[in-house]
Amino acid sequence: MAPLALKRRGEVKAAWTLQRRAVILVAVLCPLSYIMVLTAMVFTPVSYVAPAREISILFAALMGAHWLQEGDVPRRLAAAAAMALGVVALATG
């Protein structure tokens, strides 16, 4: 992403000025989440960790329905519940 950021220095500077806290938060949490997944894979089989990691899709769908007012909320909730049940089924065997 560095070449793109260098081409758009003005936009990067504006984003840094307006949303410095969010930029720092993302810069810390993204690598931290990856480290947590790698650590979990050391202690737990990958067949448990990988589906649990995909639960982030569930949160994205719920946030989209809530904050972005995306449509078809019942279908999104049903799919999110199915994903959560799948992770529970894998964890319990």
Side-chain angles (χ1 to χ4, degrees):
M1 292 193 51
L4 181 63
L6 289 173
K7 285 172 69 174
R8 298 179 175 185
R9 287 184 182 163
E11 292 177 41
V12 171
K13 186 176 179 180
W16 177 254
T17 303
L18 295 173
Q19 299 189 15
R20 183 173 303 177
R21 180 182 284 169
V23 170
I24 293 171
L25 191 64
V26 169
V28 171
L29 291 180
C30 282
L32 182 63
S33 69
Y34 186 65
I35 291 168
M36 289 174 64
V37 167
L38 292 178
T39 303
M41 287 184 183
V42 169
F43 299 107
T44 308
V46 175
S47 61
Y48 296 161
V49 176
R53 186 172 179 236
E54 297 306 318
I55 292 294
S56 64
I57 296 170
L58 179 148
F59 292 118
L62 296 176
M63 287 188 297
H66 179 70
W67 287 324
L68 301 177
Q69 304 292 313
E70 293 178 343
D72 211 2
V73 175
R75 184 175 63 122
R76 290 175 189 272
L77 291 176
M83 286 176 59
L85 287 173
V87 171
V88 170
L90 282 171
T92 58

